[in-house]
């Protein structure tokens, strides 16, 4: 049944028998047969079927909650027994919002120094994707905002406070200033992250509070793209201070704090709340708690 529950979780996530079969590495008829067998074992219909997948029945939604709990517990048990036998090892899948990518080595480097048999994969995701992938077992932990939008049932560890700067080339508007205000951003030709990013929603929120409506002339989901456009001198951007510092700009680029107000938002590590955590996630949360927020700010 455990194997069938794992297949059911993937089907619910993909919302399509063909894609789920590919994800699981089996044929579509084999997947359909496994779901039918699971329905027979439980005595309920889990999937609304027509010519194609049409969603889960109410019973299917409830079984999905149980499936995630059971599969999570089984994975935790396996990892705990492996760690007891041979020490901490394995692979951690980590997703982070784009503005937090630059700080990840502060977490992964000391962790791997302590646990050299653990490997990482790191992907860039929106804050909503981080939470969704946590819930669907696609990642083990995420780095996202903690205090701006609902997180759901997760365990979180604060890492640093994100503060905002105008990043602009020398010789451009406001480049000779020590500070600028949110209201003054209406005069700047901006490139910003795309609206699906929580960082963009935060920036929009502060601009609206300052009574400013800004229409960026370029949007991207990549900080590298934004920085490359700033370097041309034709655009400026609003970026977290820690991100701007991490790229080691040449003297021709200035980072000017944005004030009135000097806004900040908390970023941290999140993991699905469960007791006990897997040994890998538990060790990662412990490492996050040991980080100095001042060092990362």
């Amino acid at each position: 049944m455990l194997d069938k529950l794992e297949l059911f979780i993937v089907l619910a996530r993909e919302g399509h028998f063909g894609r789920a079969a590919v994800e699981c590495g089996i044929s579509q008829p084999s997947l359909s047969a496994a779901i039918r067998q699971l329905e027979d074992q439980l005595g309920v219909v889990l999937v609304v079927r027509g010519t194609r997948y049409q969603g889960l029945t109410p019973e299917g939604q409830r079984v999905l909650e149980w499936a995630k709990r059971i599969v999570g517990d089984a994975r935790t048990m396996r990892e705990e027994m492996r760690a007891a036998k041979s020490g901490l090892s394995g692979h951690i899948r980590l997703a982070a919002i784009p503005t937090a990518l630059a700080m990840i080595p502060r977490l992964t480097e000391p962790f791997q120094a302590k646990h050299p048999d653990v490997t990482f994969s790191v992907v860039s995701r929106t804050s909503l994707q981080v939470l969704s992938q946590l819930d669907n077992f696609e990642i083990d932990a995420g780095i996202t905002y903690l205090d701006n939008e609902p997180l759901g049932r997760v365990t979180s560890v604060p890492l640093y406070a994100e503060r905002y700067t105008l990043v602009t080339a020398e010789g451009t508007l406001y480049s000779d200033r020590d500070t600028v205000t949110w209201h003054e951003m209406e005069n700047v030709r901006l490139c910003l992250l795309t609206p699906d990013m929580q960082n963009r929603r935060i920036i929009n929120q502060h601009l609206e509070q300052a009574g400013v409506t800004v229409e960026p002339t370029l949007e991207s989901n990549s900080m590298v793209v934004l920085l490359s456009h700033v370097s041309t001198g034709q655009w400026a951007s609003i970026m977290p201070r820690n991100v701007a510092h991490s790229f080691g700009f040449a003297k021709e680029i200035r980072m000017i704090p944005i004030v009135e107000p000097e806004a900040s938002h908390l970023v941290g590590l999140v993991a699905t709340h469960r007791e006990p955590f897997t040994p890998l996630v538990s060790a990662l949360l412990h490492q996050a708690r040991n980080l100095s927020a001042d060092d990362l700010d």
Side-chain angles (χ1 to χ4, degrees):
M1 180 177 284
L2 186 61
D3 290 341
K4 295 183 183 70
L5 290 175
E6 290 183 327
L7 295 175
F8 180 59
I9 290 172
V10 175
L11 175 61
R13 182 178 75 222
E14 296 295 329
H16 188 277
F17 274 96
R19 290 196 300 269
V22 172
E23 179 71 19
C24 296
I26 61 176
S27 68
Q28 186 169 330
S30 296
L31 174 62
S32 297
I35 300 302
R36 292 280 190 190
Q37 292 167 10
L38 182 60
E39 291 176 321
D40 291 342
Q41 286 179 282
L42 297 175
V44 294
V45 176
L46 302 177
V47 178
V48 180
R49 295 176 177 86
T51 56
R52 56 188 178 186
Y53 176 92
Q54 296 181 9
L56 301 181
T57 64
E59 294 81 5
Q61 291 286 355
R62 184 62 180 145
V63 169
L64 180 61
E65 295 176 17
W66 277 104
K68 290 178 179 180
R69 189 181 310 174
I70 292 167
V71 169
D73 286 345
R75 291 180 179 180
T76 300
M77 180 182 66
R78 291 192 197 105
E79 283 195 24
E80 193 168 304
M81 294 305 99
R82 184 176 62 197
K85 180 180 179 180
S86 56
L88 199 64
S89 63
H91 185 74
I92 295 177
R93 301 162 300 168
L94 190 63
I97 54 175
T99 59
L101 291 172
M103 63 73 53
I104 290 179
R106 303 281 189 105
L107 182 64
T108 55
E109 192 279 329
F111 186 94
Q112 285 197 316
K114 293 179 183 177
H115 309 291
D117 292 329
V118 176
T119 59
F120 282 89
S121 59
V122 180
V123 294
S124 176
R125 295 289 184 265
T126 68
S127 58
L128 294 177
Q129 288 171 333
V130 168
L131 297 178
S132 174
Q133 292 190 340
L134 268 181
D135 188 53
N136 288 321
F137 298 105
E138 295 175 88
I139 58 174
D140 301 296
I143 298 176
T144 188
Y145 294 99
L146 302 184
D147 61 358
N148 190 58
E149 295 179 355
L151 292 175
R153 188 170 169 77
V154 300
T155 295
S156 62
V157 178
L159 294 174
Y160 64 94
E162 186 177 86
R163 294 181 174 86
Y164 306 97
T165 62
L166 175 66
V167 182
T168 191
E170 287 280 7
T172 58
L173 183 65
Y174 303 139
S175 65
D176 60 344
R177 298 270 292 273
D178 293 327
T179 63
V180 291
T181 68
W182 288 97
H183 185 77
E184 288 173 319
M185 294 301 98
E186 67 179 345
N187 302 316
V188 180
R189 188 186 189 207
L190 289 171
C191 57
L192 297 172
L193 286 174
T194 49
D196 60 321
M197 298 291 178
Q198 191 173 167
N199 171 266
R200 174 66 181 280
R201 297 195 292 274
I202 287 172
I203 289 172
N204 287 348
Q205 171 189 330
H206 290 299
L207 291 170
E208 289 170 8
Q209 290 171 349
V212 176
T213 300
V214 168
E215 295 293 338
T217 58
L218 185 141
E219 297 175 328
S220 176
N221 63 359
S222 166
M223 298 301 294
V224 173
V225 170
L226 298 184
L227 291 166
S228 64
H229 281 79
V230 169
S231 67
T232 68
Q234 301 303 309
W235 282 270
S237 189
I238 300 172
M239 297 183 182
R241 186 169 65 191
N242 62 303
V243 173
H245 278 297
S246 71
F247 280 89
F249 287 130
K251 293 181 180 179
E252 291 77 19
I253 301 296
R254 290 212 60 214
M255 295 169 284
I256 307 165
I258 303 176
V259 298
E260 297 182 20
E262 186 176 345
S264 68
H265 292 272
L266 203 59
V267 175
L269 183 74
V270 294
T272 302
H273 182 77
R274 63 183 311 109
E275 290 293 342
F277 290 105
T278 67
L280 286 174
V281 171
S282 180
L284 188 65
L285 290 168
H286 179 74
Q287 183 63 51
R289 293 186 184 103
N290 288 338
L291 290 176
S292 166
D294 290 338
D295 287 344
L296 296 176
D297 189 14

